[in-house]
């Protein structure tokens, strides 16, 4: 083992220790990255890197889409689109056994289409749907487990902030990643609804039928969700059709959501100011983590850690598919311990060089897309996996009378459905790659 590799591995151990004692991951990665470069290359090289790194990183045009999608999500929350989504979904599904839980899943998917964040989706839809699930006397496990699982849809259904960041890291096309995420995202919604149907068929009292609605109420509720359909259709449909790139599309989405909120008198100047302030805080945090990840990547590259990991995996004698499965399991474990964005930024500099050298019978660009979708799905799994599943904590904070283990128990069937989805995407990469190739 070379001295550079030893320094790199020591730095990795220090980073894990800093994360374990709750030092913010952006600061931890930056500190370890700068310290490592200082040790390996000296102060002159470190200062040279710092002189241009921030500008070189943040001047990437693709990253400009991140604050716009975040702002769109904040204004959508102020404009009460989450309530409209749940009202419409409940009107359609509520009369079925387990229908209110199905409505929550559908509403989570719809809100994820204008939000792009799992934690925000879980938090917002939890406030809207949990009172209704309680009113119809759903079991605590099914009610909270459904909302925790539904929240993970925000990370994959386009537009997704994490998907954008992944594309920037591995230099993939954002439009291609968005198109590849659509079919797996729809699969997740369908699988989750099947889980609820089976759950309530086996345990009928866990998910009673909701109330019937009249035809007029159904039409009114459906009309109320048209703004979301229009925003999603123009933003994502415009991207797929090649009418505009993601950044202008996100700007159009912000304008449409804001116009809807202002016309309906649901969004005032104070709401706009608060949304911009929250967006600045969130985007600043994301950019800090991105910068820290870049510093860490420089240090690890100089230490030879990613290449050593790739060589170890490639020389292990394992089949490429088995190596990929091991990496995905590692991502699930990491996803239990930190938020999805931090985990992607931390893991991809190590994992992608390994995957890039494996032969799956497809081009490197197709491998980027396929692995990216798989990675984001298993990150979702980490959000509902014990002991730290973050979505479970978000939902449990709104239902403090329900024990944490009940929420984890309720999320377990959805976890099983996600494993089935991952297995299908591993066995049939065409599911991921079909739509991007169809769009050309």
């Amino acid at each position: 083992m070379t001295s550079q590799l030893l320094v790199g591995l020591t730095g990795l151990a220090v980073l894990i220790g800093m994360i374990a004692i709750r030092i913010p991951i952006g600061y931890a990665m930056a500190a370890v990255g700068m310290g490592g470069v200082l040790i390996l290359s000296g102060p002159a090289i470190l200062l040279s890197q710092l002189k241009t790194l921030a500008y070189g990183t943040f001047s990437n045009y693709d990253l400009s889409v991140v604050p716009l999608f975040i702002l769109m999500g904040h204004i959508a929350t102020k404009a009460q689109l989450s309530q409209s989504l749940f009202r419409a979904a409940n009107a359609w599904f509520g009369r079925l056994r387990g229908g209110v839980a199905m409505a929550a899943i559908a509403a989570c998917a719809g809100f994820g289409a204008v939000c792009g964040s799992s934690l925000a989706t879980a938090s917002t839809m939890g406030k809207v749907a949990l009172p209704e699930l309680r009113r119809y006397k759903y079991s605590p496990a099914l009610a909270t487990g459904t909302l925790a699982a539904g929240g993970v849809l925000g990370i994959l259904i386009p537009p997704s902030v994490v998907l954008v960041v992944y594309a920037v890291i591995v230099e993939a096309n954002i439009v291609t990643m968005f198109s590849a995420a659509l079919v797996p995202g729809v699969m997740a919604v369908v699988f989750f609804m099947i889980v609820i149907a089976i759950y309530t068929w086996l345990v009928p009292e866990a998910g009673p039928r909701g109330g019937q609605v009249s035809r007029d109420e159904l039409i009114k509720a459906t009309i109320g969700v048209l703004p979301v359909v229009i925003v999603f259709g123009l933003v994502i449909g415009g991207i797929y059709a090649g009418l505009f790139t993601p950044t202008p599309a996100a700007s159009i989405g912000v304008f449409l959501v804001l116009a809807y909120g202002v016309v309906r008198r649901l969004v005032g100047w104070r709401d706009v100011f608060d949304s911009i302030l929250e967006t600045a805080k969130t985007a600043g945090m994301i950019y800090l983590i991105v910068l820290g990840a870049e510093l860490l990547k420089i240090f690890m590259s100089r230490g030879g850690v990613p290449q050593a990991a790739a060589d170890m995996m490639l020389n292990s004698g394992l089949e490429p598919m088995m190596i990929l499965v091991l990496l995905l399991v590692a991502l699930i474990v990491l996803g239990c311990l930190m938020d999805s964005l931090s985990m992607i930024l931390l893991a991809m500099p190590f994992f992608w060089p390994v995957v890039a050298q494996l032969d799956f019978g497809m081009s490197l660009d197709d491998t980027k897309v396929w692995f990216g979708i798989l990675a984001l799905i298993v990150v979702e799994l980490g959000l509902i996996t014990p002991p730290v599943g973050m979505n479970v904590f978000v939902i449990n904070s709104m239902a403090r009378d329900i024990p944490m283990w009940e929420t984890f128990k309720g999320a377990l069937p959805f976890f099983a459905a996600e494993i089935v989805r991952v297995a299908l995407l591993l066995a049939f990469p065409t599911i991921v790659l079909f739509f991007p190739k169809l769009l050309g």
Side-chain angles (χ1 to χ4, degrees):
M1 182 183 295
T2 64
S3 59
Q4 289 91 341
L5 180 58
L6 182 61
V7 172
L9 293 175
T10 303
L12 189 59
V14 171
L15 176 65
I16 294 171
M18 293 174 74
I19 294 172
I21 60 175
R22 301 301 182 121
I23 293 175
I25 190 166
Y27 296 124
M29 289 193 293
V32 171
M34 288 189 292
V37 173
L38 182 64
I39 293 171
L40 291 178
S41 304
I45 297 296
L46 174 61
L47 292 174
S48 175
Q49 293 283 354
L50 292 176
K51 182 174 67 175
T52 58
L53 183 63
Y55 176 79
T57 301
F58 300 142
S59 61
N60 186 332
Y61 180 70
D62 289 338
L63 281 177
S64 63
V65 76
V66 171
L68 289 170
F69 279 139
I70 295 170
L71 180 59
M72 185 167 71
H74 281 301
I75 296 177
T77 303
K78 303 287 186 183
Q80 300 179 13
L81 289 180
S82 55
Q83 289 91 325
S84 300
L85 282 164
F86 181 72
R87 198 178 304 116
N90 199 27
W92 281 96
F93 297 107
R95 61 184 180 276
L96 305 174
R97 180 180 288 121
V100 182
M102 293 180 187
I105 293 295
C108 284
F111 191 73
V114 295
C115 175
S117 166
S118 284
L119 294 178
T121 300
S123 175
T124 302
M125 294 311 306
K127 295 172 186 174
V128 174
L130 190 57
E132 286 296 299
L133 291 164
R134 285 180 180 274
R135 185 162 74 90
Y136 286 105
K137 294 182 170 47
Y138 273 61
S139 73
L142 180 59
T144 55
T146 295
L147 294 172
V152 306
L153 297 172
I155 197 175
L156 188 60
I157 293 180
S160 165
V161 172
V162 180
L163 204 59
V164 171
V165 172
Y166 170 83
V168 171
I169 292 173
V170 302
E171 299 180 356
N173 184 282
I174 294 177
V175 177
T176 303
M177 293 303 305
F178 277 2
S179 58
L182 188 62
V183 174
V186 172
M187 285 176 62
V189 176
V190 173
F191 282 19
F192 284 3
M193 288 192 174
I194 292 173
V195 164
I196 294 169
I198 295 173
Y199 194 113
T200 53
W201 177 64
L202 295 173
V203 190
E205 65 275 12
R209 298 176 188 272
Q212 291 279 357
V213 297
S214 66
R215 182 179 177 182
D216 289 343
E217 290 174 321
L218 180 63
I219 293 173
K220 183 179 179 182
T222 304
I223 291 174
V225 84
L226 284 180
V228 177
V229 176
I230 293 171
V231 170
F232 183 81
L234 287 176
V235 174
I236 303 302
I239 292 174
Y240 289 166
L243 297 178
F244 29 68
T245 56
T247 299
S251 303
I252 292 170
V254 171
F255 173 77
L256 291 174
V257 173
L258 179 59
Y260 169 78
V262 171
V263 170
R264 292 291 307 276
R265 296 185 178 180
L266 298 171
V267 176
W269 288 113
R270 183 67 192 179
D271 296 316
V272 174
F273 176 79
D274 290 343
S275 296
I276 293 174
L277 184 61
E278 288 301 317
T279 298
K281 291 178 180 177
T282 305
M285 175 200 68
I286 291 173
Y287 287 155
L288 175 63
I289 295 173
V290 169
L291 182 61
E294 286 296 315
L295 286 165
L296 182 68
K297 185 164 67 174
I298 292 170
F299 165 44
M300 290 298 164
S301 296
R302 289 178 179 274
V305 176
Q307 191 56 49
D311 291 343
M312 184 182 69
M313 286 288 187
L314 294 172
N315 296 327
S316 65
L318 297 174
E319 292 294 321
M321 191 60 73
M322 181 56 67
I323 293 174
L324 179 58
V325 170
L326 291 174
L327 292 177
L328 294 177
V329 171
L331 287 174
I332 294 176
V333 175
L334 284 173
C336 297
L337 304 175
M338 63 186 74
D339 67 274
S340 54
L341 178 65
S342 301
M343 195 276 292
I344 288 291
L345 284 165
L346 177 62
M348 284 307 117
F350 300 98
F351 287 16
W352 172 242
V354 176
V355 176
Q357 296 186 54
L358 299 175
D359 182 12
F360 296 104
M362 64 182 77
S363 69
L364 184 62
D365 286 339
D366 286 347
T367 303
K368 285 180 183 179
V369 174
W370 180 51
F371 176 63
I373 299 303
L374 287 169
L376 262 68
I377 292 174
V378 297
V379 169
E380 293 177 7
L381 285 175
L383 294 173
I384 56 173
T385 304
V388 188
M390 293 186 69
N391 273 16
V392 174
F393 279 87
V394 169
I395 297 300
N396 197 260
S397 68
M398 303 177 193
R400 296 188 180 277
D401 58 315
I402 298 175
M404 187 77 71
W405 65 268
E406 280 282 341
T407 305
F408 277 120
K409 184 176 75 174
L412 190 60
F414 299 99
F415 182 93
E418 289 286 77
I419 294 296
V420 172
R421 183 164 61 125
V422 170
L424 287 173
L425 298 184
L426 279 170
F428 306 103
T430 306
I431 297 173
V432 174
L433 301 175
F434 165 74
F435 194 47
K437 292 185 181 300
L438 183 66
L439 294 177

